[in-house]
């Protein structure tokens, strides 16, 4: 069944709440068609005007007089996260896809615009380009342009691609005049901006509508900054809504009434349309007959927010006294839907649900990633050598999920209804249709059909070019061979150096062991011998004279005794050899004397 829903946000009321319908509930989900009903609510939220944004998976609500943003999950129906920011937030706008992944733009108290990628956590901050707080934000349907309005009466037009670029910073912080993301500034208003909206077209002729506290409403081309229409209003507008077909806009006032502004009522639409030069200069005052008055039987309450349904025949308005009303554009009748007993500051229409031709998104955001407060994201330092190069951080990752199972298809050429990206995403391997193989014959591209031209000079030039290409190919092949040889030599030298280092290490290790053994041997030789004292008393080690040594003493001195015994044996053998030699010499002398 086709259904149409909208979301409202309230701000904390100074009066005590007497009804339980809005007790501790700040965000409500309503169903408008087929029959009105209050579906659900989210607690703990106090949202000022222009500070509510809704995606297909989450609700983002900036808190009043706080530098805090509340994130609610629509699937789970609870509060998911509380995100703090360095400055108070005065406006919020979501720029993203149907799956919930995208960028959340926030206007701060210091005149800055913060871009938060909810699916990666990346945060980009512009310099304080506005002199006062950013009161309203708007993005075009193509998600390429972002408009920021401030209390300083200026409207800046930003390029989303330049703001989110990794290679080009949003601005040079040392020289604000070199801002590359700021396309131009619309400065026709003379008071603070209260609301900005863009048309529903993705073409280059799309329009923007802005209102200010100077009781005026202007329609202009945000691509060029040219003013198209100026409408003079009876009072200062506080809310704005645009017709689904961009035929008119609706403005809310302090007295609770709504003014209809028809863009083409006083122009020859079939001839020149919005480009009529006479109407671009002269201000236009809408007729009083197009004024939708608040019901006279009730006390007037300011229309803090308004929205137009998808058919364009009804207007939903939220008022300061908590009333939520539906206005019939054709009959000018007002019907009260409900009362939440708190100032209704924001109302947003949700996309239609139940259409059979609607297609689901390929990615779905399950949980937001909180902003990363890193200087490399907010103030990228890009030098002249980095321009045009990829400077994506190594930890840049997307957190999302696939809502359904990816189809597995063969590596065939994608059909007319399938994009190349979808084919590459669903294939088991890289599709062959996206690969380009180089030709085996490098000279095939240089072959010329000589039958086309018989110009001798052209043939001579072609021959010279072919010879030049052949010479370059030979040099290239020689260079490649030399590089291969150098790489092999490098590997061989590294292996030889490694083997030599291992041999030297082994030699040093063996030498160290020999030196250590010699030191231990010398230490054993110099060990003092504890002999008996003259008086026959106990020795210093506690053993008596003539007593047998203990087993511990034998174990400790075993190596020393063995060494000493070996040395004594060598000395004895040497003395025996000497004595034996002397005896033999004496015997020989005695025998000679006897024979004589």
């Amino acid at each position: 069944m086709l259904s149409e829903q909208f979301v409202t946000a309230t701000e904390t009321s100074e009066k005590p709440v007497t009804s339980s319908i809005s007790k501790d509930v700040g965000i409500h989900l309503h169903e408008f068609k087929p029959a009105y009903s209050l579906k659900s609510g989210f607690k703990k939220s106090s949202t000022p005007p222009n500070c509510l944004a809704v995606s297909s998976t989450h609700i983002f609500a900036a808190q009043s007089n706080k530098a805090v943003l509340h994130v609610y999950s629509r699937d789970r129906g609870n509060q998911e996260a509380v995100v703090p920011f360095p400055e108070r937030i005065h406006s919020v706008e979501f720029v993203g896809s149907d799956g919930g992944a995208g960028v959340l733009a926030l206007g701060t108290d210091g005149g800055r615009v913060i871009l938060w990628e909810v699916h990666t956590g990346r945060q980009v901050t512009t310099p304080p380009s506005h002199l006062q707080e950013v009161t309203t934000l708007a993005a075009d349907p193509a998600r390429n342009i972002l408009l920021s309005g401030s209390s300083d009466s200026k409207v800046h037009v930003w390029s989303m691609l330049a703001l989110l670029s990794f290679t080009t910073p949003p601005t040079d912080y040392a020289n604000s005049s070199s801002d590359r993301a700021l396309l131009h500034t619309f400065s026709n208003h003379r008071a603070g901006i209260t609301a900005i909206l863009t048309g529903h077209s993705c073409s280059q002729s799309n329009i923007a509508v802005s209102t200010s506290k100077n009781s005026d409403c202007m329609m202009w081309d945000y691509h060029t900054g040219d003013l198209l229409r100026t409408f003079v209003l009876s009072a200062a507008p506080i809310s704005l809504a645009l017709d689904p077909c961009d035929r008119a806009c609706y403005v809310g006032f302090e007295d609770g009434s709504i003014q209809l502004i028809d863009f083409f009522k006083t122009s020859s639409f079939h001839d020149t349309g919005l480009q009529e030069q006479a109407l671009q200069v002269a201000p236009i005052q809408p007729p009083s007959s197009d004024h939708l008055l608040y019901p006279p039987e009730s006390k007037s309450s300011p229309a803090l927010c308004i929205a137009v349904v998808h058919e364009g025949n009804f207007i939903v308005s939220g008022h300061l006294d908590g009333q939520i009303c539906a206005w019939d554009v054709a009959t000018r009748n007002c019907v009260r839907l409900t009362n939440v007993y708190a100032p209704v500051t924001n109302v947003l229409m949700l996309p239609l649900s139940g259409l059979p031709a609607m297609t689901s998104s390929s990615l779905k955001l399950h949980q937001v990633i909180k902003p990363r407060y890193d200087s490399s994201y907010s103030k990228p330092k890009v030098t002249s050598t980095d321009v045009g190069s990829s400077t994506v951080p190594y930890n840049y990752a997307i957190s999302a999920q696939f809502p359904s199972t990816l189809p597995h298809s063969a590596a065939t050429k994608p059909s007319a209804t399938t994009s190349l990206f979808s084919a590459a995403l669903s294939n088991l391997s890289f599709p062959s249709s996206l690969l380009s193989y180089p030709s085996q014959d490098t000279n095939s591209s240089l072959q010329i059909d000589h039958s086309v031209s018989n110009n001798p000079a052209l043939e001579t030039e072609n021959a010279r070019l072919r010879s030049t290409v052949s010479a370059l190919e030979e040099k290239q092949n020689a260079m490649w061979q030399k590089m291969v040889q150098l790489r092999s030599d490098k590997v061989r030298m590294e292996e030889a150096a490694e083997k030599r280092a291992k041999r030297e290490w082994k030699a040093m290790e063996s030498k160290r062991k020999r030196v250590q053994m010699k030191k231990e041997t010398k230490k054993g030789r110099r060990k003092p011998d504890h002999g008996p004292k003259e008086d026959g008393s106990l020795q210093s080690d506690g053993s008596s004279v003539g007593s047998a040594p203990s087993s511990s003493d034998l174990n400790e001195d075993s190596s020393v005794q063995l060494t000493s015994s070996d040395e004594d044996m060598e000395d004895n053998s040497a003395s025996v050899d000497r004595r034996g030699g002397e005896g033999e010499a004496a015997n020989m002398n005695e025998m000679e004397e006897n024979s004589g």
Side-chain angles (χ1 to χ4, degrees), residues 3 39 72 111 165 183 185 211 273 277 328 400 406 431 463 535 541 554:
S3 62
K39 303 291 291 185
Y72 301 91
S165 175
L183 300 179
T185 300
T211 59
Q277 296 293 332
D328 191 339
L406 294 177
D535 55 356
D541 57 354
L554 291 175

Side-chain angles (χ1 to χ4, degrees), residues 239-361:
S239 55
L240 178 66
L242 192 62
D243 183 77
C245 298
D246 300 340
R247 302 169 301 178
C249 69
Y250 301 90
V251 180
F253 297 100
E254 288 283 349
D255 60 354
S257 62
I258 298 176
Q259 174 71 54
L260 168 63
I261 301 177
D262 193 346
F263 296 153
F264 307 102
K265 192 170 186 179
T266 57
S267 63
S268 54
F269 172 70
H270 299 285
D271 298 332
T272 59
L274 298 176
Q275 304 301 325
E276 191 171 347
Q277 296 293 332
L279 296 177
Q280 293 180 7
V281 179
I284 303 172
Q285 186 172 6
S288 58
S289 59
D290 293 339
H291 213 73
L292 284 71
L293 299 178
Y294 200 68
E297 65 272 9
S298 60
K299 184 179 179 180
S300 63
S301 179
L304 300 180
C305 55
I306 55 177
V308 184
V309 301
H310 293 276
E311 295 179 356
N313 56 349
F314 279 93
I315 304 172
V316 179
S317 62
H319 298 265
L320 183 63
D321 57 356
Q323 296 283 347
I324 299 178
C325 303
W327 302 72
D328 191 339
V329 177
T331 61
R332 307 292 199 271
N333 293 330
C334 177
V335 178
R336 294 185 183 88
L337 298 179
T338 186
N339 193 341
V340 295
Y341 299 96
V344 182
T345 55
N346 295 267
V347 55
L348 295 176
M349 301 299 301
L350 299 181
L352 295 175
S353 60
L355 292 176
M358 293 180 64
T359 58
S360 59
S361 177

Side-chain angles (χ1 to χ4, degrees), residues 446 460-474:
L446 299 176
T460 304
E461 182 68 17
N462 292 336
R464 187 183 64 81
L465 291 175
R466 283 194 291 269
S467 61
T468 303
V469 171
S470 300
L472 291 176
E473 289 179 352
E474 292 178 359

